[in-house]
Structures are given as C-alpha cells and as structure tokens.
Amino acid sequence: MEGKHITINGKSIYVCVKGKGEPIIFLHGGPGGSHEYFLPQMEPLAEGFQIILYDQTGCGKSGGDTYSIEEEISTLEGIRKALNLEKVTLFGESWGSILALSYAARYPSHIHKIILTAAIGLSSKDYVTFKKLFLQKLGPYQKMLLGYYSLSSVFGVDASRKLSNLIDPYYVYSVDTLKKKKEIGYNREALQDIGRDIEQNYNLFPSLSQIESLPILIAQGSHDILPPAYIRENVLPYLRNAELLEVKGSGHWTILEQPGQILRLTRMFIGSHGDSELGSF
C-alpha cells in the first residue's frame, strides 16, 4: 500500500488509504510500532471497505516527538477530519485497543463500531496485569537477558533484534508463525513514554457512559497473555454492547497467526445489525 504524508497538529503523519465503502481506521500496537504490522494480512478488506492505516506519532514514516495517549487521540481525530469522515469503525490491536477505546470515550458520536484484538483492558490495572503475566512466562535466564538488553538500549546500544528474538516466541501460539513475521522497526521512546502514561493515567471507568453502548467486538487469542477468560471477567461486565470471541490457535498476535479468522470476523461484524452469530467462529 502506498500512502502520503498529511500535516496533523503541526506534524507529518504517514497515512495509507485504499478501497471504498465503510471506513475502517487501523490502530497499530507497540506502542512504537507501525502500520505495516497489518500488512499484507488486512489489505484484502479494501475489496469491500475503505481501509485507513497510519503510523502514529514518531513511528514508521511519521514525524513528531511527543508521545502520550492524549497526543494519539488528537492525531486520530485530526486524521478523521482531514479525510472528511463523519463516522468510522476503529480496529485497535494491543496498545491500539487502548487508543481505540480512549478515542471513543472522547468522541463517541464519531464511532460506528469498534473491533479490538489482543485487547489490554479498561485501566492501568489491566495493563500492569498484562506485563506481570508476560514476565511469569519467562524463566530466570530469559528475565536476566530481558533486563540486560533493556539496559543496553538505555546506553545507546541497539539490542532490538536480540529483544525481539527473546520475547517474540511468548507472543504467539505457534513459534512457526514467526517465520512469516515482518521485521518492523520500533520507536523505543514512544514505547517507554506511552507505556508510562498508560500505567499512570489510563482509566476509562469514569467515561464508561460514553462507550458502554457502542457496538464492540473483542477477538481475543485463545492463548493470549490476557486470555478470553480474563476479558470476560474484567471487561465485558462494563461494556454492555460488547461481544467476545475466542480466536482459536492464537496468542497475542492474532493478525499474524489467524488472519483468515480476523478477516471473516471483521466483515461479518461491520456488516451485521445485531443479529450475527459471531460465536460460531
């Protein structure tokens, strides 16, 4: 997909648009990743929808050097306005799920539907739990290496490849999946700043009245770090119009491991009027 740069709030944001129909804006994870995470797996959706992918502030091909939840809400709203979109469906993956819900809480009237995968939850408590459960998967030696590589990056040593090789196997159901994973550069400053912001400030409970009635699909990997059972217990009770679907044979990276399932779910959910049988997947 080819894109172009759009000036949003004084910064150059790289945006790709393809197809016609109901607009879907994809929100990549990380924090600090890029829109390429969704490619080529989600590109077939352009056959029936207008798909919009972009690199968040300072990520991928986008400019900017201020990283926070508020900054990304503002950027997303700027993109909606620049593309003259009245209502959009948001597709948020991992950290993108936090951004999707945070944006919807601020601008519920601009939302058609929301699709979340690898969802993190509704508050910093869920984010901290995610990190805790991930660390529990690591053995003592892996934890030592994680600390060493993370410390190396603080002193300007590029250990990103070693970090990826260490932690990637814990994000997937099958390590064979990693053979088709793209090497995507990460903005470590965005990762650290937004991660800190999430831990200190992420809390949607005061804003639940804005999002609780929005149509939301949560497609959670059967073996995600926060499994479907966690989402069912800690998220669904507060979102009365949300559906939870288990994506079988998948860890945290559902789009990489089960793209066919995610494509079918997306088409069905956006096209449905409340009478779909998503649970059959």
Side-chain angles (χ1 to χ4, degrees):
M1 284 180 69
E2 294 185 3
K4 63 179 181 180
H5 285 88
I6 300 175
T7 300
I8 305 291
N9 302 328
K11 59 191 177 185
S12 181
I13 299 297
Y14 186 74
V15 181
C16 300
V17 180
K18 186 175 182 179
K20 296 180 179 180
E22 178 75 30
I24 310 172
I25 302 182
F26 288 81
L27 311 176
H28 66 72
S34 79
H35 79 280
E36 289 190 88
Y37 174 80
F38 294 110
L39 298 175
Q41 291 90 346
M42 295 295 101
E43 194 167 355
L45 288 172
E47 295 174 8
F49 305 96
Q50 182 185 51
I51 62 172
I52 300 151
L53 294 80
Y54 73 100
D55 291 333
Q56 295 164 20
T57 304
C59 300
K61 299 178 181 179
S62 289
D65 57 6
T66 303
Y67 313 110
S68 69
I69 300 172
E70 286 297 322
E71 183 76 16
E72 293 315 310
I73 291 173
S74 178
T75 298
L76 179 51
E77 173 63 358
I79 291 172
R80 185 195 67 82
K81 289 180 177 179
L83 298 180
N84 297 311
L85 303 173
E86 182 179 354
K87 284 195 172 188
V88 298
T89 290
L90 296 181
F91 187 117
E93 186 272 337
S94 195
W95 135 248
S97 74
I98 293 177
L99 175 56
L101 292 173
S102 299
Y103 175 89
R106 183 72 53 81
Y107 300 106
S109 62
H110 299 161
I111 298 297
H112 177 219
K113 293 184 176 183
I114 299 174
I115 301 169
L116 309 177
T117 190
I120 301 299
L122 300 172
S123 72
S124 58
K125 171 181 172 291
D126 300 311
Y127 180 68
V128 171
T129 299
F130 175 88
K131 295 194 349 180
K132 178 181 177 181
L133 292 177
F134 173 76
L135 286 175
Q136 286 178 1
K137 290 176 175 287
L138 302 180
Y141 181 64
Q142 286 78 13
K143 289 179 182 176
M144 182 188 72
L145 286 178
L146 178 62
Y148 175 72
Y149 295 149
S150 299
L151 186 62
S152 297
S153 64
V154 172
F155 292 100
V157 178
D158 186 6
S160 56
R161 177 67 64 86
K162 291 181 178 179
L163 270 170
S164 294
N165 291 340
L166 174 66
I167 68 176
D168 283 1
Y170 298 95
Y171 280 105
V172 294
Y173 172 70
S174 171
V175 293
D176 288 340
T177 306
L178 297 176
K179 296 176 182 177
K180 60 179 182 179
K181 178 179 177 287
K182 278 186 176 182
E183 288 295 332
I184 296 175
Y186 270 78
N187 182 325
R188 294 292 168 185
E189 188 176 352
L191 174 62
Q192 293 171 359
D193 288 359
I194 295 178
R196 188 181 307 114
D197 191 19
I198 294 171
E199 287 197 32
Q200 295 175 354
N201 302 307
Y202 180 52
N203 181 15
L204 291 178
F205 285 98
S207 306
L208 282 178
S209 61
Q210 301 295 312
I211 60 175
E212 63 180 356
S213 61
L214 294 173
I216 299 173
L217 171 65
I218 305 175
Q220 201 78 351
S222 57
H223 292 72
D224 200 337
I225 295 161
L226 293 181
Y230 182 92
I231 301 299
R232 184 175 295 107
E233 180 178 348
N234 295 279
V235 177
L236 283 194
Y238 307 102
L239 302 175
R240 57 186 174 87
N241 208 19
E243 299 177 70
L244 172 65
L245 181 71
E246 178 178 308
V247 181
K248 296 180 180 179
S250 181
H252 191 62
W253 287 336
T254 56
I255 293 168
L256 184 67
E257 294 200 89
Q258 299 295 342
Q261 286 192 53
I262 299 299
L263 287 171
R264 290 193 297 272
L265 289 173
T266 300
R267 292 188 179 107
M268 193 170 182
F269 181 66
I270 297 179
S272 72
H273 299 281
D275 56 355
S276 64
E277 295 181 359
L278 294 174
S280 64
F281 281 86

mmCIF file of all heavy atoms in Angstrom, residues 231-275:
data_model
loop_
_atom_site.group_PDB
_atom_site.id
_atom_site.type_symbol
_atom_site.label_atom_id
_atom_site.label_comp_id
_atom_site.label_asym_id
_atom_site.label_seq_id
_atom_site.Cartn_x
_atom_site.Cartn_y
_atom_site.Cartn_z
ATOM 1 N N ILE A 231 -10.726 -11.325 29.875
ATOM 2 C CA ILE A 231 -11.538 -10.272 29.255
ATOM 3 C C ILE A 231 -13.004 -10.439 29.655
ATOM 4 O O ILE A 231 -13.700 -9.457 29.946
ATOM 5 C CB ILE A 231 -11.390 -10.315 27.728
ATOM 6 C CG1 ILE A 231 -9.916 -10.114 27.325
ATOM 7 C CG2 ILE A 231 -12.283 -9.272 27.070
ATOM 8 C CD1 ILE A 231 -9.323 -8.790 27.742
ATOM 9 N N ARG A 232 -13.469 -11.682 29.688
ATOM 10 C CA ARG A 232 -14.864 -11.938 30.064
ATOM 11 C C ARG A 232 -15.154 -11.457 31.485
ATOM 12 O O ARG A 232 -16.228 -10.917 31.768
ATOM 13 C CB ARG A 232 -15.161 -13.430 29.935
ATOM 14 C CG ARG A 232 -16.628 -13.799 30.200
ATOM 15 C CD ARG A 232 -16.893 -15.271 29.937
ATOM 16 N NE ARG A 232 -16.716 -15.597 28.522
ATOM 17 C CZ ARG A 232 -15.687 -16.293 28.027
ATOM 18 N NH1 ARG A 232 -14.739 -16.744 28.846
ATOM 19 N NH2 ARG A 232 -15.594 -16.542 26.747
ATOM 20 N N GLU A 233 -14.202 -11.622 32.362
ATOM 21 C CA GLU A 233 -14.410 -11.267 33.768
ATOM 22 C C GLU A 233 -14.160 -9.797 34.054
ATOM 23 O O GLU A 233 -14.854 -9.182 34.884
ATOM 24 C CB GLU A 233 -13.500 -12.118 34.652
ATOM 25 C CG GLU A 233 -13.640 -11.835 36.139
ATOM 26 C CD GLU A 233 -12.752 -12.719 36.997
ATOM 27 O OE1 GLU A 233 -12.191 -13.702 36.463
ATOM 28 O OE2 GLU A 233 -12.623 -12.435 38.203
ATOM 29 N N ASN A 234 -13.188 -9.186 33.367
ATOM 30 C CA ASN A 234 -12.742 -7.847 33.741
ATOM 31 C C ASN A 234 -13.130 -6.736 32.772
ATOM 32 O O ASN A 234 -12.943 -5.559 33.098
ATOM 33 C CB ASN A 234 -11.215 -7.850 33.905
ATOM 34 C CG ASN A 234 -10.748 -8.730 35.042
ATOM 35 O OD1 ASN A 234 -10.779 -8.312 36.189
ATOM 36 N ND2 ASN A 234 -10.345 -9.953 34.723
ATOM 37 N N VAL A 235 -13.647 -7.092 31.604
ATOM 38 C CA VAL A 235 -14.000 -6.079 30.609
ATOM 39 C C VAL A 235 -15.480 -6.140 30.228
ATOM 40 O O VAL A 235 -16.191 -5.134 30.268
ATOM 41 C CB VAL A 235 -13.121 -6.218 29.342
ATOM 42 C CG1 VAL A 235 -13.554 -5.210 28.279
ATOM 43 C CG2 VAL A 235 -11.650 -6.008 29.699
ATOM 44 N N LEU A 236 -15.961 -7.315 29.864
ATOM 45 C CA LEU A 236 -17.332 -7.442 29.370
ATOM 46 C C LEU A 236 -18.403 -6.909 30.324
ATOM 47 O O LEU A 236 -19.385 -6.319 29.861
ATOM 48 C CB LEU A 236 -17.644 -8.903 29.022
ATOM 49 C CG LEU A 236 -17.072 -9.459 27.717
ATOM 50 C CD1 LEU A 236 -17.763 -10.767 27.372
ATOM 51 C CD2 LEU A 236 -17.185 -8.475 26.574
ATOM 52 N N PRO A 237 -18.274 -7.100 31.644
ATOM 53 C CA PRO A 237 -19.325 -6.598 32.539
ATOM 54 C C PRO A 237 -19.558 -5.086 32.435
ATOM 55 O O PRO A 237 -20.620 -4.596 32.821
ATOM 56 C CB PRO A 237 -18.813 -6.977 33.936
ATOM 57 C CG PRO A 237 -17.921 -8.151 33.704
ATOM 58 C CD PRO A 237 -17.255 -7.859 32.392
ATOM 59 N N TYR A 238 -18.583 -4.354 31.887
ATOM 60 C CA TYR A 238 -18.678 -2.899 31.834
ATOM 61 C C TYR A 238 -19.023 -2.370 30.446
ATOM 62 O O TYR A 238 -19.232 -1.169 30.283
ATOM 63 C CB TYR A 238 -17.357 -2.281 32.307
ATOM 64 C CG TYR A 238 -16.930 -2.794 33.654
ATOM 65 C CD1 TYR A 238 -15.927 -3.766 33.766
ATOM 66 C CD2 TYR A 238 -17.550 -2.354 34.812
ATOM 67 C CE1 TYR A 238 -15.548 -4.256 35.005
ATOM 68 C CE2 TYR A 238 -17.176 -2.842 36.059
ATOM 69 C CZ TYR A 238 -16.173 -3.797 36.144
ATOM 70 O OH TYR A 238 -15.809 -4.290 37.375
ATOM 71 N N LEU A 239 -19.061 -3.250 29.463
ATOM 72 C CA LEU A 239 -19.394 -2.856 28.090
ATOM 73 C C LEU A 239 -20.589 -3.684 27.643
ATOM 74 O O LEU A 239 -20.444 -4.768 27.091
ATOM 75 C CB LEU A 239 -18.191 -3.084 27.161
ATOM 76 C CG LEU A 239 -16.897 -2.346 27.526
ATOM 77 C CD1 LEU A 239 -15.773 -2.764 26.577
ATOM 78 C CD2 LEU A 239 -17.093 -0.832 27.487
ATOM 79 N N ARG A 240 -21.787 -3.184 27.884
ATOM 80 C CA ARG A 240 -22.990 -3.998 27.723
ATOM 81 C C ARG A 240 -23.301 -4.338 26.270
ATOM 82 O O ARG A 240 -24.112 -5.219 26.010
ATOM 83 C CB ARG A 240 -24.197 -3.297 28.367
ATOM 84 C CG ARG A 240 -24.494 -1.890 27.853
ATOM 85 C CD ARG A 240 -25.621 -1.268 28.676
ATOM 86 N NE ARG A 240 -25.868 0.128 28.352
ATOM 87 C CZ ARG A 240 -26.677 0.518 27.384
ATOM 88 N NH1 ARG A 240 -27.294 -0.374 26.644
ATOM 89 N NH2 ARG A 240 -26.851 1.807 27.151
ATOM 90 N N ASN A 241 -22.685 -3.647 25.313
ATOM 91 C CA ASN A 241 -22.949 -3.940 23.908
ATOM 92 C C ASN A 241 -21.736 -4.580 23.237
ATOM 93 O O ASN A 241 -21.588 -4.520 22.018
ATOM 94 C CB ASN A 241 -23.341 -2.660 23.166
ATOM 95 C CG ASN A 241 -24.245 -2.942 21.984
ATOM 96 O OD1 ASN A 241 -24.872 -4.000 21.898
ATOM 97 N ND2 ASN A 241 -24.320 -2.009 21.052
ATOM 98 N N ALA A 242 -20.880 -5.196 24.045
ATOM 99 C CA ALA A 242 -19.667 -5.825 23.509
ATOM 100 C C ALA A 242 -19.845 -7.332 23.386
ATOM 101 O O ALA A 242 -20.535 -7.954 24.187
ATOM 102 C CB ALA A 242 -18.471 -5.512 24.392
ATOM 103 N N GLU A 243 -19.209 -7.893 22.358
ATOM 104 C CA GLU A 243 -19.165 -9.343 22.153
ATOM 105 C C GLU A 243 -17.721 -9.797 22.254
ATOM 106 O O GLU A 243 -16.814 -9.122 21.784
ATOM 107 C CB GLU A 243 -19.697 -9.710 20.767
ATOM 108 C CG GLU A 243 -21.128 -9.317 20.497
ATOM 109 C CD GLU A 243 -21.532 -9.662 19.071
ATOM 110 O OE1 GLU A 243 -21.659 -10.867 18.765
ATOM 111 O OE2 GLU A 243 -21.716 -8.729 18.271
ATOM 112 N N LEU A 244 -17.524 -10.939 22.872
ATOM 113 C CA LEU A 244 -16.185 -11.522 22.994
ATOM 114 C C LEU A 244 -16.128 -12.802 22.181
ATOM 115 O O LEU A 244 -16.999 -13.665 22.299
ATOM 116 C CB LEU A 244 -15.868 -11.831 24.457
ATOM 117 C CG LEU A 244 -14.581 -12.630 24.721
ATOM 118 C CD1 LEU A 244 -13.350 -11.824 24.301
ATOM 119 C CD2 LEU A 244 -14.492 -13.028 26.190
ATOM 120 N N LEU A 245 -15.108 -12.912 21.351
ATOM 121 C CA LEU A 245 -14.912 -14.111 20.551
ATOM 122 C C LEU A 245 -13.497 -14.630 20.754
ATOM 123 O O LEU A 245 -12.536 -13.875 20.696
ATOM 124 C CB LEU A 245 -15.127 -13.821 19.074
ATOM 125 C CG LEU A 245 -14.964 -15.043 18.176
ATOM 126 C CD1 LEU A 245 -16.117 -16.009 18.376
ATOM 127 C CD2 LEU A 245 -14.879 -14.648 16.729
ATOM 128 N N GLU A 246 -13.387 -15.911 21.025
ATOM 129 C CA GLU A 246 -12.081 -16.543 21.165
ATOM 130 C C GLU A 246 -11.539 -16.918 19.797
ATOM 131 O O GLU A 246 -12.199 -17.616 19.032
ATOM 132 C CB GLU A 246 -12.201 -17.790 22.040
ATOM 133 C CG GLU A 246 -10.888 -18.535 22.210
ATOM 134 C CD GLU A 246 -11.032 -19.746 23.117
ATOM 135 O OE1 GLU A 246 -11.561 -19.585 24.234
ATOM 136 O OE2 GLU A 246 -10.617 -20.843 22.703
ATOM 137 N N VAL A 247 -10.344 -16.432 19.481
ATOM 138 C CA VAL A 247 -9.674 -16.781 18.232
ATOM 139 C C VAL A 247 -8.783 -17.981 18.530
ATOM 140 O O VAL A 247 -7.721 -17.849 19.141
ATOM 141 C CB VAL A 247 -8.847 -15.602 17.688
ATOM 142 C CG1 VAL A 247 -8.173 -15.991 16.371
ATOM 143 C CG2 VAL A 247 -9.736 -14.378 17.489
ATOM 144 N N LYS A 248 -9.228 -19.139 18.114
ATOM 145 C CA LYS A 248 -8.518 -20.370 18.466
ATOM 146 C C LYS A 248 -7.187 -20.477 17.737
ATOM 147 O O LYS A 248 -7.026 -19.995 16.625
ATOM 148 C CB LYS A 248 -9.399 -21.574 18.156
ATOM 149 C CG LYS A 248 -10.669 -21.617 19.003
ATOM 150 C CD LYS A 248 -11.529 -22.820 18.680
ATOM 151 C CE LYS A 248 -12.783 -22.828 19.551
ATOM 152 N NZ LYS A 248 -13.665 -23.979 19.248
ATOM 153 N N GLY A 249 -6.239 -21.127 18.387
ATOM 154 C CA GLY A 249 -4.926 -21.321 17.791
ATOM 155 C C GLY A 249 -4.147 -20.038 17.637
ATOM 156 O O GLY A 249 -3.413 -19.858 16.670
ATOM 157 N N SER A 250 -4.295 -19.127 18.605
ATOM 158 C CA SER A 250 -3.600 -17.850 18.502
ATOM 159 C C SER A 250 -3.169 -17.355 19.871
ATOM 160 O O SER A 250 -3.856 -17.563 20.879
ATOM 161 C CB SER A 250 -4.504 -16.802 17.851
ATOM 162 O OG SER A 250 -3.814 -15.562 17.737
ATOM 163 N N GLY A 251 -2.032 -16.679 19.885
ATOM 164 C CA GLY A 251 -1.576 -15.981 21.072
ATOM 165 C C GLY A 251 -1.972 -14.522 20.980
ATOM 166 O O GLY A 251 -3.092 -14.190 20.587
ATOM 167 N N HIS A 252 -1.052 -13.628 21.313
ATOM 168 C CA HIS A 252 -1.327 -12.188 21.319
ATOM 169 C C HIS A 252 -1.428 -11.625 19.903
ATOM 170 O O HIS A 252 -2.154 -10.665 19.667
ATOM 171 C CB HIS A 252 -0.215 -11.478 22.099
ATOM 172 C CG HIS A 252 -0.507 -10.038 22.411
ATOM 173 N ND1 HIS A 252 -1.569 -9.636 23.197
ATOM 174 C CD2 HIS A 252 0.128 -8.892 22.037
ATOM 175 C CE1 HIS A 252 -1.571 -8.312 23.303
ATOM 176 N NE2 HIS A 252 -0.544 -7.842 22.605
ATOM 177 N N TRP A 253 -0.705 -12.212 18.973
ATOM 178 C CA TRP A 253 -0.662 -11.684 17.608
ATOM 179 C C TRP A 253 -1.658 -12.394 16.709
ATOM 180 O O TRP A 253 -1.304 -13.169 15.826
ATOM 181 C CB TRP A 253 0.762 -11.795 17.058
ATOM 182 C CG TRP A 253 1.698 -10.801 17.673
ATOM 183 C CD1 TRP A 253 1.370 -9.617 18.252
ATOM 184 C CD2 TRP A 253 3.118 -10.903 17.774
ATOM 185 N NE1 TRP A 253 2.491 -8.969 18.707
ATOM 186 C CE2 TRP A 253 3.572 -9.730 18.427
ATOM 187 C CE3 TRP A 253 4.034 -11.868 17.384
ATOM 188 C CZ2 TRP A 253 4.925 -9.510 18.692
ATOM 189 C CZ3 TRP A 253 5.386 -11.650 17.651
ATOM 190 C CH2 TRP A 253 5.818 -10.473 18.288
ATOM 191 N N THR A 254 -2.931 -12.143 16.927
ATOM 192 C CA THR A 254 -3.995 -12.807 16.162
ATOM 193 C C THR A 254 -3.895 -12.529 14.674
ATOM 194 O O THR A 254 -4.174 -13.400 13.853
ATOM 195 C CB THR A 254 -5.373 -12.346 16.662
ATOM 196 O OG1 THR A 254 -5.438 -10.912 16.580
ATOM 197 C CG2 THR A 254 -5.611 -12.777 18.092
ATOM 198 N N ILE A 255 -3.521 -11.318 14.311
ATOM 199 C CA ILE A 255 -3.472 -10.936 12.893
ATOM 200 C C ILE A 255 -2.396 -11.723 12.161
ATOM 201 O O ILE A 255 -2.557 -12.087 10.992
ATOM 202 C CB ILE A 255 -3.241 -9.419 12.759
ATOM 203 C CG1 ILE A 255 -4.461 -8.667 13.290
ATOM 204 C CG2 ILE A 255 -2.964 -9.024 11.314
ATOM 205 C CD1 ILE A 255 -4.238 -7.191 13.477
ATOM 206 N N LEU A 256 -1.313 -12.001 12.839
ATOM 207 C CA LEU A 256 -0.230 -12.773 12.242
ATOM 208 C C LEU A 256 -0.567 -14.254 12.188
ATOM 209 O O LEU A 256 -0.294 -14.933 11.197
ATOM 210 C CB LEU A 256 1.053 -12.554 13.052
ATOM 211 C CG LEU A 256 2.334 -13.214 12.523
ATOM 212 C CD1 LEU A 256 2.752 -12.579 11.210
ATOM 213 C CD2 LEU A 256 3.454 -13.109 13.559
ATOM 214 N N GLU A 257 -1.189 -14.762 13.248
ATOM 215 C CA GLU A 257 -1.422 -16.204 13.354
ATOM 216 C C GLU A 257 -2.713 -16.674 12.695
ATOM 217 O O GLU A 257 -2.765 -17.772 12.145
ATOM 218 C CB GLU A 257 -1.431 -16.612 14.830
ATOM 219 C CG GLU A 257 -0.087 -16.443 15.509
ATOM 220 C CD GLU A 257 0.034 -17.276 16.767
ATOM 221 O OE1 GLU A 257 0.456 -18.438 16.674
ATOM 222 O OE2 GLU A 257 -0.297 -16.756 17.847
ATOM 223 N N GLN A 258 -3.761 -15.867 12.769
ATOM 224 C CA GLN A 258 -5.063 -16.278 12.237
ATOM 225 C C GLN A 258 -5.698 -15.158 11.406
ATOM 226 O O GLN A 258 -6.808 -14.704 11.697
ATOM 227 C CB GLN A 258 -6.000 -16.675 13.392
ATOM 228 C CG GLN A 258 -5.527 -17.840 14.222
ATOM 229 C CD GLN A 258 -5.457 -19.149 13.449
ATOM 230 O OE1 GLN A 258 -6.053 -19.287 12.382
ATOM 231 N NE2 GLN A 258 -4.733 -20.126 13.974
ATOM 232 N N PRO A 259 -5.008 -14.714 10.367
ATOM 233 C CA PRO A 259 -5.551 -13.599 9.573
ATOM 234 C C PRO A 259 -6.885 -13.920 8.920
ATOM 235 O O PRO A 259 -7.753 -13.045 8.805
ATOM 236 C CB PRO A 259 -4.460 -13.336 8.529
ATOM 237 C CG PRO A 259 -3.700 -14.633 8.437
ATOM 238 C CD PRO A 259 -3.724 -15.196 9.822
ATOM 239 N N GLY A 260 -7.075 -15.162 8.493
ATOM 240 C CA GLY A 260 -8.337 -15.537 7.858
ATOM 241 C C GLY A 260 -9.510 -15.365 8.798
ATOM 242 O O GLY A 260 -10.569 -14.851 8.411
ATOM 243 N N GLN A 261 -9.335 -15.794 10.046
ATOM 244 C CA GLN A 261 -10.395 -15.632 11.038
ATOM 245 C C GLN A 261 -10.701 -14.155 11.281
ATOM 246 O O GLN A 261 -11.871 -13.748 11.344
ATOM 247 C CB GLN A 261 -9.998 -16.280 12.365
ATOM 248 C CG GLN A 261 -10.040 -17.801 12.381
ATOM 249 C CD GLN A 261 -9.912 -18.339 13.801
ATOM 250 O OE1 GLN A 261 -10.657 -17.949 14.692
ATOM 251 N NE2 GLN A 261 -8.952 -19.231 13.999
ATOM 252 N N ILE A 262 -9.660 -13.351 11.395
ATOM 253 C CA ILE A 262 -9.857 -11.930 11.675
ATOM 254 C C ILE A 262 -10.548 -11.242 10.505
ATOM 255 O O ILE A 262 -11.429 -10.388 10.705
ATOM 256 C CB ILE A 262 -8.514 -11.249 11.996
ATOM 257 C CG1 ILE A 262 -7.878 -11.882 13.239
ATOM 258 C CG2 ILE A 262 -8.709 -9.755 12.205
ATOM 259 C CD1 ILE A 262 -8.702 -11.768 14.501
ATOM 260 N N LEU A 263 -10.193 -11.591 9.277
ATOM 261 C CA LEU A 263 -10.855 -11.011 8.106
ATOM 262 C C LEU A 263 -12.345 -11.355 8.096
ATOM 263 O O LEU A 263 -13.193 -10.483 7.860
ATOM 264 C CB LEU A 263 -10.196 -11.510 6.821
ATOM 265 C CG LEU A 263 -8.809 -10.956 6.483
ATOM 266 C CD1 LEU A 263 -8.204 -11.716 5.299
ATOM 267 C CD2 LEU A 263 -8.882 -9.466 6.173
ATOM 268 N N ARG A 264 -12.676 -12.607 8.338
ATOM 269 C CA ARG A 264 -14.081 -13.025 8.321
ATOM 270 C C ARG A 264 -14.874 -12.339 9.426
ATOM 271 O O ARG A 264 -15.996 -11.875 9.213
ATOM 272 C CB ARG A 264 -14.173 -14.551 8.469
ATOM 273 C CG ARG A 264 -13.684 -15.313 7.250
ATOM 274 C CD ARG A 264 -14.075 -16.780 7.317
ATOM 275 N NE ARG A 264 -13.463 -17.475 8.443
ATOM 276 C CZ ARG A 264 -12.279 -18.060 8.407
ATOM 277 N NH1 ARG A 264 -11.549 -18.024 7.288
ATOM 278 N NH2 ARG A 264 -11.800 -18.696 9.462
ATOM 279 N N LEU A 265 -14.266 -12.263 10.606
ATOM 280 C CA LEU A 265 -14.937 -11.616 11.725
ATOM 281 C C LEU A 265 -15.196 -10.145 11.448
ATOM 282 O O LEU A 265 -16.275 -9.623 11.747
ATOM 283 C CB LEU A 265 -14.085 -11.747 12.985
ATOM 284 C CG LEU A 265 -13.990 -13.127 13.620
ATOM 285 C CD1 LEU A 265 -12.988 -13.111 14.753
ATOM 286 C CD2 LEU A 265 -15.346 -13.556 14.123
ATOM 287 N N THR A 266 -14.215 -9.474 10.884
ATOM 288 C CA THR A 266 -14.350 -8.051 10.602
ATOM 289 C C THR A 266 -15.471 -7.809 9.598
ATOM 290 O O THR A 266 -16.331 -6.940 9.805
ATOM 291 C CB THR A 266 -13.026 -7.483 10.063
ATOM 292 O OG1 THR A 266 -12.003 -7.671 11.046
ATOM 293 C CG2 THR A 266 -13.148 -6.003 9.746
ATOM 294 N N ARG A 267 -15.460 -8.571 8.513
ATOM 295 C CA ARG A 267 -16.515 -8.404 7.500
ATOM 296 C C ARG A 267 -17.896 -8.663 8.091
ATOM 297 O O ARG A 267 -18.850 -7.924 7.839
ATOM 298 C CB ARG A 267 -16.260 -9.357 6.332
ATOM 299 C CG ARG A 267 -15.020 -9.031 5.504
ATOM 300 C CD ARG A 267 -14.960 -9.907 4.254
ATOM 301 N NE ARG A 267 -13.790 -9.599 3.437
ATOM 302 C CZ ARG A 267 -12.723 -10.380 3.345
ATOM 303 N NH1 ARG A 267 -12.673 -11.529 4.031
ATOM 304 N NH2 ARG A 267 -11.703 -10.042 2.586
ATOM 305 N N MET A 268 -18.000 -9.702 8.887
ATOM 306 C CA MET A 268 -19.287 -10.084 9.446
ATOM 307 C C MET A 268 -19.767 -9.062 10.472
ATOM 308 O O MET A 268 -20.942 -8.674 10.480
ATOM 309 C CB MET A 268 -19.178 -11.468 10.086
ATOM 310 C CG MET A 268 -20.502 -12.102 10.431
ATOM 311 S SD MET A 268 -20.262 -13.840 10.891
ATOM 312 C CE MET A 268 -21.964 -14.322 11.164
ATOM 313 N N PHE A 269 -18.868 -8.600 11.330
ATOM 314 C CA PHE A 269 -19.255 -7.680 12.399
ATOM 315 C C PHE A 269 -19.661 -6.318 11.847
ATOM 316 O O PHE A 269 -20.678 -5.751 12.260
ATOM 317 C CB PHE A 269 -18.104 -7.529 13.387
ATOM 318 C CG PHE A 269 -18.412 -6.616 14.538
ATOM 319 C CD1 PHE A 269 -19.382 -6.955 15.469
ATOM 320 C CD2 PHE A 269 -17.731 -5.419 14.693
ATOM 321 C CE1 PHE A 269 -19.676 -6.115 16.539
ATOM 322 C CE2 PHE A 269 -18.006 -4.579 15.754
ATOM 323 C CZ PHE A 269 -18.978 -4.923 16.682
ATOM 324 N N ILE A 270 -18.896 -5.794 10.908
ATOM 325 C CA ILE A 270 -19.223 -4.473 10.377
ATOM 326 C C ILE A 270 -20.518 -4.523 9.567
ATOM 327 O O ILE A 270 -21.317 -3.585 9.582
ATOM 328 C CB ILE A 270 -18.069 -3.916 9.521
ATOM 329 C CG1 ILE A 270 -16.827 -3.722 10.396
ATOM 330 C CG2 ILE A 270 -18.455 -2.593 8.875
ATOM 331 C CD1 ILE A 270 -15.628 -3.206 9.656
ATOM 332 N N GLY A 271 -20.754 -5.643 8.892
ATOM 333 C CA GLY A 271 -21.950 -5.756 8.073
ATOM 334 C C GLY A 271 -23.186 -6.175 8.831
ATOM 335 O O GLY A 271 -24.295 -6.166 8.285
ATOM 336 N N SER A 272 -23.021 -6.550 10.108
ATOM 337 C CA SER A 272 -24.151 -7.072 10.879
ATOM 338 C C SER A 272 -24.975 -5.942 11.477
ATOM 339 O O SER A 272 -24.527 -4.802 11.594
ATOM 340 C CB SER A 272 -23.650 -7.980 12.004
ATOM 341 O OG SER A 272 -23.038 -7.207 13.030
ATOM 342 N N HIS A 273 -26.193 -6.276 11.863
ATOM 343 C CA HIS A 273 -27.093 -5.318 12.508
ATOM 344 C C HIS A 273 -27.603 -5.881 13.825
ATOM 345 O O HIS A 273 -28.747 -5.736 14.195
ATOM 346 C CB HIS A 273 -28.280 -4.993 11.598
ATOM 347 C CG HIS A 273 -27.859 -4.364 10.302
ATOM 348 N ND1 HIS A 273 -27.528 -3.037 10.205
ATOM 349 C CD2 HIS A 273 -27.675 -4.905 9.071
ATOM 350 C CE1 HIS A 273 -27.175 -2.763 8.946
ATOM 351 N NE2 HIS A 273 -27.263 -3.862 8.253
ATOM 352 N N GLY A 274 -26.686 -6.613 14.507
ATOM 353 C CA GLY A 274 -27.039 -7.138 15.811
ATOM 354 C C GLY A 274 -27.584 -8.546 15.795
ATOM 355 O O GLY A 274 -27.921 -9.098 16.824
ATOM 356 N N ASP A 275 -27.660 -9.164 14.603
ATOM 357 C CA ASP A 275 -28.235 -10.492 14.516
ATOM 358 C C ASP A 275 -27.232 -11.526 14.003
ATOM 359 O O ASP A 275 -27.601 -12.602 13.554
ATOM 360 C CB ASP A 275 -29.470 -10.488 13.609
ATOM 361 C CG ASP A 275 -29.160 -9.944 12.212
ATOM 362 O OD1 ASP A 275 -28.022 -9.498 12.007
ATOM 363 O OD2 ASP A 275 -30.056 -9.970 11.347
#
